[in-house]
Amino acid sequence: METKNDGEAAGSHESSNDLAIRTAASIPAADPRSKPSNSRSPKSSHAKKPSINGPKARLPAAKEGSKSKENETPSKNATSNPAMEAPLPDSILSRNELFDKLKRQSHAEILEKEKPEINVVLDLGLDKEGMPRSATPVAAKAWESTPGSFLKHVDKDVSSDVVVAKVNGKELWDLDRPLEYGCRVSYIPFSSAEGRNVFWHSSAHVLGEAAECQFNCLLSHGPPVEQGFFYDMAIAEGQVVKENDWPPLESKASKFFKEKQPFERLHVSIPNLKEMFRYSKYKMYYIENLLPPEGSTVYKCGTLVDLCLGPHIQNTGKIKAFQIIKNSSCYFRGDKSDDSLQRIYGVAFPDKKLMTDHKKFLEEAAKRDHRKIGVDQELFFFDELSPGNVFLLPHGTLIFNALQKLLRSEYQKRGYQEVQSPNMYDVDLWKRSGHWQHYQDGMFSLEVEKKKWALKPMNCPGHCIMFGHRERSYRELPLRMADFGVLHRNESSGALNGLTRVRKFQQDDTHIFCTQDQITQEVEGLFDFLKCIYGLFGFPFKLKLSTRPDEYLGDIQTWEIAESKLKDALDAFTASGGGQWELNEGDGAFYGPKIDIEISDALKRDFQCATIQLDFQLPERFELEYMTAETGSKSLVGETMNAKSDPHAIPSNKPKGPGPGRARPVMLHRAIIGSFERFMAIITEHFAGKWPFWLSPRQVLVIPVMPAVNDYVEEVQKLLKAQKMNADIDISGNTMKKKILTGQMAQYNFIFVVGAQEKESRSVNIRNRDDQETQSKGELIPLDEAIGKLRALKKERRLINSI
């Protein structure tokens, strides 16, 4: 299974600009929920990261009567007095003058364009009762009408929350950007993930504007993250951002909000971009190494002009609450050999009440931080001798093993075959699969006996080898191959973050080889598997179908058949009461469409753990085939699969097609919990360290009232362990009250307190962690009965801690 480095499924297709800039971005220092902006993405073998090492970045400074040079020395008082606003340097003024000049030219060109009438339909989504609103046709002209101009046709309860528009269900579009063709327009609210990202991205620009004014700094980049945004910058050498810098930054931002600065979009050629940002080696790095030849867009708000893909909110006046929450240092591109930068984190909202609610959320999230609980409960730790590789302690290993046991029990019921595949392969395997061309920078490689090898970052190619090592018959299909093998990915050191992003991990990785006719049935079976597993943790989930991207392998007819099969399975899931699914057009993997599954935890945070990816490329690359029945169905994969526009297509010999009476199998990649390590982080925070009994590493603690019953305490522990329960005893010299308190702090599910009466009657007094009424002496329960109830609680994997 190919997944993103944080455990999410790979294959989402971004614009080349967006992917390039995210790839080069520096890494969040220690934010457990942010997705680091340089998450590795597939790239060609020649796309190495050029270094920008050299002299420490010098910052632009204002000079009387002369243009500032590239990376000029900053004025010494740039940060000496946070309240003092330094004048903008000449290089910034020149940048802004060039933007204004090019904007005037662009505006004149648009005025000259023909403005034909176009067909525009407003898709206003669901009403308050959850029913679809009627689509509304509106009069519009190309290069003149904007999505924002149509909001007058929209009810206030919808328009008041709108952040950005979406065109044809695919492309996010600025509300004030003229439409260029007939289309279907929908509106994205702040309450959606896409809306928050746009809002926080715009807020990051305001932070960047304030930082330029306050520090005369060189900005690197400022993306949205899971709970807000940040901006990286180089300030005067020897200076760092301090907490007393926050109030003046927030004061400047507040001033910008009152000014209602519009976000102005402009597409700029590469030569003009180089002229515009020649003062900053960070922006020049992006321009020279990561942008396409046709150039990119920039946005201006107030005095800030920034290299950016957008889109953005209409103006800064939409931001009603803004707060800086922390600052730290980081490395440009997450590389310790590159410049050290300052990072400022913030969060913003269109309503002050939302800020208040967010602060409460952060307080609760901090209590649930898996890194804190992991230490408190002695589950795991990390060591600098092996960065990014977790040391699972005995209690953490108990949880890990319980998860694997759960999956193995389901595999047996559902016809999966568990396999083990090698950890290291000759790179020829990865070249054949296409991963070397797309993913080699994310792999650990080494040389053995003058040959190059690589540790596996995913299991897919190895499973293809296993399928193809002997003749296969249609009677063997579907063949469901499961693998818990260890995987390694070469994450940047700055990206490593607790269990959510590691270098060594394991997945519940499965590949299903099947016929075309079996696709729908297999996907429906996976939906049932999802409900079974996620239900045990109390996770609601939603499904998204990602369809053919702009760049893809194969022919359109094959893609349409594949997408149709997945839609049939999704519709059947909905008809059975499984909830509505969403269409995510153009976001499929380059090798096939996919279904992404997002779960929501106790704090209503969304995580993608599961994925179902349909792949008809790897079976072709590895020339996999099976013997068909005489009336067997035709293979989904044709005899030739020509790449339409994959720039990294392997120029090797074209695979031969299946012979007579043979066909290519279809390959389904699937994971449900994804990375065990990341899933453990999610459930640690979901349960706040209060594990359900079946998963708990500390199920029962047995405590004596007096030393005279220590032998009974040990007997009870022995009986519980015989039933494979995690039972501990405390026969230390501490008081009974302290023993009980210690057990409660350790989150034991049940505490058995026994004295002379319990010993004589062979019973126990039980305190339930989640039931306050049991926290004093109550009714005695026969020991055999208590053990029987605990066995049932564990076997049934109940979520409620009750017997």
Side-chain angles (χ1 to χ4, degrees):
M1 167 67 61
E2 184 174 349
T3 63
K4 292 180 182 176
N5 299 340
D6 60 358
E8 295 183 9
S12 75
H13 233 75
E14 305 173 69
S15 70
S16 56
N17 286 11
D18 196 22
L19 186 60
I21 290 178
R22 286 202 319 107
T23 301
S26 52
I27 308 294
D31 188 339
R33 287 299 158 219
S34 65
K35 295 178 183 175
S37 14
N38 79 330
S39 52
R40 293 184 181 275
S41 302
K43 56 180 82 172
S44 63
S45 58
H46 61 268
K48 302 291 185 183
K49 289 197 299 185
S51 175
I52 63 164
N53 289 337
K56 174 69 178 177
R58 290 181 296 151
L59 313 183
K63 293 187 178 182
E64 284 286 339
S66 65
K67 291 288 183 182
S68 57
K69 304 293 185 181
E70 181 179 347
N71 299 327
E72 290 171 351
T73 305
S75 60
K76 292 296 182 183
N77 65 353
T79 60
S80 59
N81 182 355
M84 182 181 298
E85 183 171 331
L88 289 174
D90 291 341
S91 55
I92 300 298
L93 297 176
S94 297
R95 174 196 71 189
N96 295 357
E97 288 171 2
L98 179 56
F99 176 93
D100 292 339
K101 174 185 174 183
L102 296 175
K103 183 67 175 177
R104 288 193 296 270
Q105 292 175 359
S106 174
H107 182 66
E109 291 171 3
I110 291 176
L111 288 176
E112 294 297 320
K113 287 180 180 289
E114 292 187 13
K115 298 176 178 59
E117 292 185 356
I118 54 176
N119 295 320
V120 173
V121 176
L122 302 185
D123 181 355
L124 303 180
L126 304 178
D127 61 21
K128 293 179 179 179
E129 282 72 41
M131 300 299 292
R133 290 186 172 92
S134 300
T136 306
V138 292
K141 291 185 177 181
W143 300 103
E144 180 176 288
S145 301
T146 66
S149 67
F150 305 138
L151 287 174
K152 61 188 177 184
H153 301 289
V154 180
D155 293 340
K156 282 191 175 181
D157 64 324
V158 176
S159 62
S160 60
D161 195 30
V162 167
V163 171
V164 71
K166 181 178 276 191
V167 170
N168 290 334
K170 292 183 178 181
E171 185 178 0
L172 291 177
W173 199 278
D174 300 270
L175 289 173
D176 290 338
R177 177 184 170 189
L179 296 170
E180 300 169 11
Y181 44 81
C183 58
R184 196 175 188 91
V185 173
S186 56
Y187 294 101
I188 308 299
F190 178 84
S191 55
S192 70
E194 285 182 311
R196 286 192 297 275
N197 277 341
V198 170
F199 191 91
W200 284 338
H201 187 189
S202 301
S203 303
H205 276 239
V206 178
L207 174 59
E209 180 185 3
E212 273 195 345
C213 292
Q214 181 159 324
F215 300 124
N216 268 358
C217 57
L218 291 178
L219 298 176
S220 170
H221 77 300
V225 290
E226 198 73 20
Q227 298 299 333
F229 53 88
F230 67 79
Y231 222 116
D232 289 348
M233 62 202 70
I235 62 176
E237 189 167 0
Q239 298 284 346
V240 295
V241 175
K242 299 178 181 178
E243 194 167 340
N244 64 356
D245 292 318
W246 299 1
L249 284 170
E250 291 173 343
S251 177
K252 289 180 175 62
S254 179
K255 173 176 175 287
F256 301 153
F257 303 150
K258 292 175 182 177
E259 293 173 353
K260 296 184 178 180
Q261 300 170 352
F263 280 87
E264 302 177 75
R265 179 182 185 274
L266 181 66
H267 191 277
V268 182
S269 67
I270 292 294
N272 281 328
L273 286 174
K274 289 182 176 180
E275 174 65 20
M276 188 175 287
F277 295 103
R278 63 188 177 88
Y279 65 91
S280 171
K281 71 176 184 178
Y282 306 112
K283 300 298 183 184
M284 290 297 288
Y285 171 82
Y286 299 142
I287 294 166
E288 292 175 347
N289 298 288
L290 302 168
L291 296 185
E294 62 269 21
S296 184
T297 52
V298 296
Y299 277 79
K300 181 182 181 184
C301 68
T303 61
L304 177 71
V305 175
D306 203 6
L307 185 66
C308 179
L309 298 166
H312 285 284
I313 58 178
Q314 287 175 296
N315 63 69
T316 58
K318 303 291 183 181
I319 304 171
K320 304 299 183 184
F322 178 96
Q323 184 176 21
I324 294 172
I325 53 178
K326 66 178 178 178
N327 65 269
S328 64
S329 60
C330 62
Y331 296 102
F332 182 65
R333 302 179 305 154
D335 190 335
K336 288 184 178 179
S337 64
D338 269 327
D339 289 355
S340 177
L341 305 177
Q342 295 294 296
R343 170 168 297 175
I344 303 175
Y345 286 90
V347 69
F349 293 93
D351 181 271
K352 291 182 179 179
K353 183 181 181 301
L354 292 174
M355 177 67 83
T356 302
D357 293 342
H358 182 72
K359 290 178 180 178
K360 293 178 181 177
F361 164 83
L362 291 179
E363 290 174 4
E364 182 61 28
K367 295 175 187 175
R368 294 170 176 257
D369 191 323
H370 76 278
R371 295 166 299 181
K372 177 182 181 298
I373 293 173
V375 172
D376 292 345
Q377 296 189 4
E378 293 190 345
L379 303 179
F380 64 87
F381 71 92
F382 290 89
D383 193 283
E384 282 303 311
L385 291 174
S386 187
N389 300 299
V390 65
F391 289 78
L392 273 185
L393 294 167
H395 289 104
T397 303
L398 287 171
I399 297 171
F400 186 97
N401 290 343
L403 292 172
Q404 279 202 350
K405 183 179 179 180
L406 165 65
L407 291 163
R408 283 194 169 105
S409 67
E410 289 298 321
Y411 286 165
Q412 191 172 23
K413 297 175 188 175
R414 298 170 186 273
Y416 285 78
Q417 301 179 45
E418 188 175 343
V419 300
Q420 294 185 16
S421 52
N423 272 1
M424 186 171 72
Y425 294 92
D426 188 315
V427 297
D428 286 347
L429 175 81
W430 305 109
K431 291 177 180 177
R432 184 177 185 184
S433 70
H435 289 98
W436 193 250
Q437 290 80 351
H438 288 273
Y439 202 78
Q440 64 171 299
D441 286 349
M443 300 168 70
F444 287 103
S445 59
L446 63 159
E447 192 169 298
V448 180
E449 296 181 349
K450 298 183 179 180
K451 292 194 71 175
K452 199 162 189 177
W453 302 73
L455 296 177
K456 64 177 179 182
M458 64 276 297
N459 288 306
C460 338
H463 288 183
C464 287
I465 294 294
M466 296 181 84
F467 181 93
H469 88 285
R470 68 166 174 81
E471 288 278 1
R472 298 285 181 181
S473 165
Y474 73 94
R475 293 187 179 89
E476 297 180 72
L477 305 183
L479 178 60
R480 306 179 186 100
M481 206 175 286
D483 196 331
F484 292 126
V486 174
L487 306 175
H488 289 85
R489 295 190 182 172
N490 188 13
E491 298 286 353
S492 298
S493 58
L496 303 176
N497 189 18
L499 293 177
T500 61
R501 191 170 287 248
V502 291
R503 286 174 172 163
K504 171 259 177 187
F505 60 99
Q506 291 173 253
Q507 291 187 149
D508 65 324
D509 204 357
T510 294
H511 295 96
I512 301 173
F513 298 90
C514 63
T515 68
Q516 174 187 349
D517 292 341
Q518 293 169 338
I519 292 174
T520 301
Q521 175 185 330
E522 286 302 302
V523 174
E524 289 176 353
L526 291 176
F527 291 159
D528 182 70
F529 205 162
L530 288 171
K531 287 195 294 184
C532 170
I533 298 299
Y534 289 157
L536 292 173
F537 299 94
F539 287 139
F541 65 91
K542 53 190 176 185
L543 307 173
K544 293 182 180 179
L545 173 62
S546 298
T547 57
R548 175 169 47 86
D550 292 335
E551 295 185 358
Y552 60 91
L553 293 177
D555 60 86
I556 291 179
Q557 182 181 7
T558 303
W559 273 84
E560 289 176 346
I561 293 172
E563 289 172 3
S564 175
K565 296 289 184 183
L566 295 183
K567 287 178 181 177
D568 288 345
L570 286 163
D571 288 339
F573 177 74
T574 298
S576 67
Q580 295 292 328
W581 57 275
E582 299 177 32
L583 182 62
N584 192 14
E585 292 190 35
D587 201 35
F590 66 92
Y591 50 77
K594 62 190 178 82
I595 298 172
D596 293 326
I597 301 96
E598 286 186 348
I599 60 175
S600 295
D601 74 353
L603 295 182
K604 309 301 181 184
R605 298 174 296 188
D606 292 337
F607 303 96
Q608 184 186 323
C609 296
T611 185
I612 301 169
Q613 300 175 2
L614 186 56
D615 185 355
F616 36 85
Q617 300 306 319
L618 277 186
E620 184 75 11
R621 288 182 181 274
F622 284 90
E623 300 180 4
L624 303 183
E625 55 186 51
Y626 61 91
M627 293 181 289
T628 64
E630 291 183 359
T631 58
S633 59
K634 187 177 179 180
S635 171
L636 174 64
V637 183
E639 293 191 4
T640 60
M641 296 292 294
N642 297 318
K644 177 197 174 194
S645 53
D646 177 27
H648 307 300
I650 296 178
S652 58
N653 295 331
K654 184 165 61 178
K656 62 182 180 181
R662 296 175 180 271
R664 291 265 189 263
V666 180
M667 189 175 182
L668 281 169
H669 305 249
R670 86 101 183 99
I672 292 180
I673 70 169
S675 156
F676 279 91
E677 289 76 3
R678 180 170 178 266
F679 193 73
M680 283 180 64
I682 292 170
I683 60 177
T684 300
E685 298 184 4
H686 176 60
F687 293 123
K690 295 184 177 182
W691 303 98
F693 186 78
W694 70 271
L695 193 59
S696 177
R698 295 177 174 87
Q699 293 172 330
V700 181
L701 176 64
V702 189
I703 295 174
V705 173
M706 61 193 77
V709 296
N710 283 357
D711 57 339
Y712 182 56
V713 168
E714 291 172 345
E715 181 187 355
V716 172
Q717 180 192 32
K718 185 176 180 180
L719 291 172
L720 290 169
K721 283 185 172 292
Q723 299 300 323
K724 298 182 180 179
M725 295 181 197
N726 303 322
D728 299 317
I729 61 175
D730 187 348
I731 54 176
S732 68
N734 292 327
T735 64
M736 187 179 74
K737 183 178 180 180
K738 184 171 183 180
K739 291 175 183 178
I740 292 174
L741 180 60
T742 301
Q744 290 171 338
M745 295 290 289
Q747 301 299 340
Y748 279 91
N749 296 72
F750 298 97
I751 297 177
F752 287 6
V753 180
V754 299
Q757 185 181 1
E758 286 82 5
K759 179 179 179 180
E760 183 178 350
S761 61
R762 295 194 62 77
S763 60
V764 289
N765 187 285
I766 302 178
R767 297 181 181 228
N768 183 337
R769 179 194 65 197
D770 300 338
D771 185 354
Q772 288 301 313
E773 293 183 359
T774 66
Q775 299 309 307
S776 59
K777 184 174 180 179
E779 180 183 357
L780 300 186
I781 300 176
L783 179 58
D784 290 343
E785 180 183 338
I787 292 176
K789 289 182 176 180
L790 290 178
R791 286 180 58 189
L793 180 61
K794 182 179 179 181
K795 182 179 180 180
E796 295 167 15
R797 295 191 174 96
R798 297 202 297 266
L799 200 56
I800 304 299
N801 193 60
S802 174
I803 56 174

